[in-house]
Amino acid sequence: MIRVLIFFAFLFLVTLGVAWLSDLPGVISITWQGYVWEQPPVVVVLMAGLGLLAILLALWLVMSILRSPKLASRFFRRRRREKGYRSLSQGLLALGAGNPKLARKYGVDADKLLRHEPATKLLLAQTAQLAGKHDEARDRYEAMLEDDETKSVGLHGLFIEAEREGEPVAARHYAEEASQATPGLEWAGKAVLGYQAVSHDWEKALATLERNYTSKLLDKKTYRRQRAVILTALAQDLEQGEPDRAYSLAREAHGLALDLVPATVLAARLATRKAEIRKASKLIESTWRVSPHPDLAEAYAHVRSGDSAVDRLKRVKSLAGQKANSSVGELAVARAAIEAREFDEAREALKKVLRSETSRSAFVMMAELEEAEHGDRGRMREWLARAVRAPQDKAWIADGIVSREWQPVSPVTGKLDAFEWATPAGMSDESELLEDAAFDQPGLPVLTPNEAVGTAAAAVVVSDDDAPVVEATPVVDVEAAPVSTQPTAEGAKAPAMPAGTKPSEAAVAIEPTPVASKPTGVEGTTDDVREMKRPHDLLVDPKAAPAAQAAAQTPASASASPAKETAKAADDASHGSEPVPTAADKNPTAGTAAVAGETSKESSTSTSSKGKDGLNQRIEFPLERMPDDPGLDDDPEEDGFARPPRSRFFN
């Protein structure tokens, strides 16, 4: 709009000037060698303008003729450049499409048309890399180092080739040279920092990190985290040689990253050595509230050397209370409670963990608790079997590597601060929902008149030749048959026999006697396994124990054959006389033999004082003998010689 106004203003001035010249009176007279030329002023001005224009036109024509070679050269050079850039563009597109042959063709054309273009050198070098011609690629990248404009590009290409060939020394050299030549290169700064961290050159790594942060290659949060990791690694190296400096570095790392557990554990350990118990406790508590970890609980429990197990338990409970509903805290409390032999408290803590978040360590700790408290190896194996199917515990993981200890650098990629506390992938993740009954300790069963537990039982069987035979019979949940408590006179009607029992067979009842356990002073320890009562001890009448012991001490030569002693014991039992210890009673290790020797006495003394409690009711067993029991021969001496006695009991 302004230009239009200026144009109209100029046109107005020209028109005004022409009108002014036309209104001027008089003429302009020019005389030259007798010639006189007279014209009005306006005509003279117009003629002068036309003459000036003609002169300028002639001057342009002359100059164009003189500059024609230069103009022609410029035209052809421009055309050549346009063709070269077109080939370069097509070559880059072919390279991006993964067509090295076509990219090389366009690259060669572009290099011919554009002789001093750096992009064509890069195109040919990358085309050689894509085609697998690494020797040619290295030669082209090395040629770029001679030019300051392409030096950083050549260093980057050589760095990539060195990493591909597995030459870390050469790769680090190229990265450091590129970082010095161009401080703002992100790849060079990160590569130098990574190689310095892998080689544990922590002092130079700190300087490189500061330079990267100054060049704005990373943000403040990342800078603080990486600095804390480097300081922690440096403090770990200096822990034995320079503990004071290591302590200051660990405390600085703790201030930069509160959730960095290794830094806190290291600082607390060094503070404990310096007898700064309060500072060590404060360091652990601040990190625990942000990120609970088993190492923190372990360090907090032993922050004061010389404490008893009970003191450590109190300390761990105080720490766990600062982070509610944490399975890590409950596991720490359970561990400290087991060490303090507070088994009830340990069981309650493990219950909370196994009801909310099952883990392998919780099941293993439960197995420890069962063995330490009750010495029950069966329950211990049960918990260990559950631990096999439980989810894996958390560990330090980086790039698929599972490590027990934290490391500042990944051993696979060399990445700084790569390890994280997580559950390993691909492990067992089946969780088992446990009920309250799974945590209860099962006691030994007590037999009642109407139920029997699956134990080895003995029965006296009368064979066809009236020779009673004592055989062991396995009984599982056999229902007891009711028997009259009145004495049976001779010739009286015998009690009803169970279905399927032959009239010639007589069943002898087993009277279980509950044995009350008394404290032995070793309860709650692993020594109480030796004090446990065995199942066959629970079935023996304590009153008959002295008689059985006296019979066991009788010499073997003074005893009759096993078959005759057994028959005599059965006959005495049927007439109400005192039973004589048989050969089976002489073996204290055979639980079923002791039971067989005592059952005859219990069947004949049904009117004893135990009858008031109803514990003298007989249990009849449908089986005669064990399937693999050879039994007794009908006549041991029918062949003319005595056969050696054989064991007839299934132990």
Side-chain angles (χ1 to χ4, degrees):
M1 186 65 183
I2 296 177
R3 293 179 180 181
V4 174
L5 293 177
I6 293 174
F7 173 76
F8 281 109
F10 178 74
L11 184 61
F12 175 74
L13 292 176
V14 171
T15 304
L16 185 61
V18 172
W20 178 72
L21 289 175
S22 61
D23 291 341
L24 289 176
V27 295
I28 296 176
S29 176
I30 298 175
T31 302
W32 184 64
Q33 293 182 0
Y35 292 99
V36 179
W37 185 68
E38 295 180 350
Q39 293 293 337
V42 62
V43 176
V44 174
V45 172
L46 290 176
M47 293 298 293
L50 292 175
L52 180 62
L53 183 62
I55 292 172
L56 294 175
L57 182 61
L59 182 63
W60 174 80
L61 181 60
V62 172
M63 294 298 296
S64 297
I65 294 173
L66 294 176
R67 293 185 303 177
S68 59
K70 186 177 181 180
L71 293 175
S73 176
R74 182 185 298 174
F75 170 76
F76 288 113
R77 186 167 60 252
R78 182 178 298 173
R79 183 180 177 184
R80 183 186 184 92
R81 183 179 299 173
E82 290 179 355
K83 291 178 65 177
Y85 281 118
R86 188 180 299 110
S87 299
L88 179 62
S89 177
Q90 293 177 352
L92 291 175
L93 293 175
L95 180 65
N99 192 349
K101 294 183 178 180
L102 186 61
R104 183 178 180 83
K105 175 184 177 182
Y106 285 121
V108 172
D109 294 342
D111 189 43
K112 292 180 180 179
L113 297 174
L114 305 173
R115 296 186 180 276
H116 302 287
E117 181 62 35
T120 59
K121 299 178 182 179
L122 178 62
L123 175 61
L124 291 174
Q126 290 186 347
T127 301
Q129 276 184 330
L130 184 62
K133 301 177 180 179
H134 300 288
D135 295 337
E136 179 185 352
R138 283 194 296 270
D139 293 339
R140 292 187 179 275
Y141 282 127
E142 289 177 357
M144 294 182 188
L145 300 180
E146 300 176 358
D147 189 1
D148 294 338
E149 188 177 4
T150 60
K151 184 176 181 179
S152 59
V153 179
L155 290 173
H156 187 220
L158 292 174
F159 169 78
I160 295 176
E161 287 294 316
E163 279 198 331
R164 187 190 60 80
E165 293 291 340
E167 297 291 340
V169 178
R172 179 177 178 178
H173 168 72
Y174 292 132
E176 290 178 348
E177 190 174 353
S179 179
Q180 294 176 0
T182 310
L185 286 177
E186 184 176 0
W187 70 268
K190 292 184 177 180
V192 171
L193 180 62
Y195 279 109
Q196 290 172 347
V198 169
S199 60
H200 289 192
D201 194 355
W202 305 117
E203 299 287 354
K204 293 183 179 180
L206 284 175
T208 303
L209 183 65
E210 293 291 341
R211 185 166 56 250
N212 292 345
Y213 181 66
T214 305
S215 302
K216 298 182 179 180
L217 299 181
L218 64 164
D219 55 1
K220 186 175 182 179
K221 182 179 179 181
T222 306
Y223 163 73
R224 289 172 62 89
R225 178 71 182 187
Q226 291 185 357
R227 181 175 176 82
V229 172
I230 295 175
L231 290 175
T232 304
L234 181 59
Q236 288 180 347
D237 293 344
L238 299 176
E239 182 180 1
Q240 301 299 331
E242 303 179 29
D244 294 337
R245 187 187 176 196
Y247 177 56
S248 61
L249 293 175
R251 290 200 62 179
E252 183 182 355
H254 171 76
L256 292 173
L258 284 177
D259 57 340
L260 188 58
V261 175
T264 305
V265 173
L266 178 60
R269 183 166 61 246
L270 293 173
T272 302
R273 294 180 185 176
K274 296 169 65 68
E276 297 178 355
I277 308 302
R278 186 177 182 83
K279 290 184 179 179
S281 301
K282 292 294 184 182
L283 291 173
I284 297 176
E285 289 172 359
S286 59
T287 303
W288 179 269
R289 288 189 288 267
V290 177
S291 177
H293 196 275
D295 293 346
L296 294 175
E298 183 70 16
Y300 197 79
H302 297 84
V303 72
R304 180 186 290 110
S305 58
D307 282 354
S308 64
V310 177
D311 294 336
R312 292 198 299 268
L313 174 59
K314 293 179 180 179
R315 189 181 300 277
V316 172
K317 288 173 63 178
S318 174
L319 180 66
Q322 299 184 18
K323 185 70 174 180
N325 300 326
S326 174
S327 60
V328 179
E330 297 297 337
L331 287 176
V333 171
R335 169 58 61 190
I338 292 176
E339 293 177 357
R341 308 198 67 79
E342 296 290 343
F343 300 122
D344 293 338
E345 192 167 354
R347 190 178 296 274
E348 290 298 326
L350 291 175
K351 280 184 181 181
K352 295 179 182 178
V353 176
L354 294 176
R355 286 172 180 171
S356 60
E357 181 182 357
T358 58
S359 62
R360 188 164 297 180
S361 60
F363 285 113
V364 173
M365 202 176 302
M366 198 69 192
E368 280 185 51
L369 176 61
E370 293 292 348
E371 184 180 15
E373 183 178 5
H374 303 290
D376 192 344
R377 295 187 177 273
R379 293 278 292 175
M380 181 189 69
R381 294 189 184 97
E382 179 183 352
W383 287 111
L384 291 178
R386 286 175 175 161
V388 175
R389 302 187 301 269
Q392 185 69 287
D393 296 328
K394 290 185 177 181
W396 293 107
I397 305 173
D399 301 324
I401 300 298
V402 180
S403 175
R404 184 181 299 273
E405 301 293 338
W406 174 83
Q407 300 179 20
V409 182
S410 171
V412 179
T413 60
K415 181 182 177 182
L416 187 66
D417 190 27
F419 278 90
E420 60 179 0
W421 185 253
T423 303
M427 299 295 183
S428 175
D429 56 354
E430 299 180 3
S431 59
E432 182 179 0
L433 182 61
L434 299 181
E435 299 180 355
D436 294 342
F439 300 95
D440 296 335
Q441 175 67 19
L444 292 175
V446 178
L447 298 178
T448 61
N450 296 325
E451 61 181 5
V453 183
T455 58
V460 178
V461 180
V462 180
S463 59
D464 296 337
D465 56 353
D466 298 333
V469 180
V470 180
E471 296 184 357
T473 305
V475 179
V476 179
D477 294 339
V478 179
E479 184 178 359
V483 182
S484 175
T485 60
Q486 299 296 330
T488 304
E490 185 177 358
K493 185 178 180 180
M497 303 297 293
T501 305
K502 296 180 180 180
S504 61
E505 297 176 355
V508 180
I510 300 175
E511 182 180 357
T513 303
V515 179
S517 60
K518 297 181 180 180
T520 58
V522 292
E523 292 186 355
T525 66
T526 56
D527 297 333
D528 61 355
V529 181
R530 299 191 298 268
E531 305 297 332
M532 294 177 62
K533 298 297 183 182
R534 293 173 174 80
H536 63 271
D537 296 335
L538 299 177
L539 298 176
V540 177
D541 189 358
K543 297 181 180 180
Q549 184 177 2
Q553 297 176 356
T554 304
S557 60
S559 61
S561 63
K564 295 181 179 180
E565 291 178 356
T566 307
K568 189 176 185 305
D571 183 70
D572 294 340
S574 62
H575 291 81
S577 61
E578 188 68 17
V580 180
T582 62
D585 297 331
K586 300 177 183 180
N587 187 5
T589 60
T592 56
V595 173
E598 295 299 324
T599 51
S600 61
K601 178 181 177 180
E602 294 170 0
S603 62
S604 61
T605 57
S606 59
T607 60
S608 61
S609 58
K610 298 180 182 179
K612 299 179 180 179
D613 299 333
L615 299 179
N616 61 336
Q617 296 180 0
R618 296 185 300 173
I619 301 176
E620 298 178 357
F621 302 93
L623 301 178
E624 293 183 353
R625 60 168 63 94
M626 292 296 291
D628 54 352
D629 187 2
L632 292 177
D633 295 334
D634 294 337
D635 190 1
E637 300 180 358
E638 64 180 357
D639 296 336
F641 60 90
R643 297 181 181 178
R646 294 178 300 177
S647 175
R648 301 180 304 281
F649 298 99
F650 179 77
N651 296 328

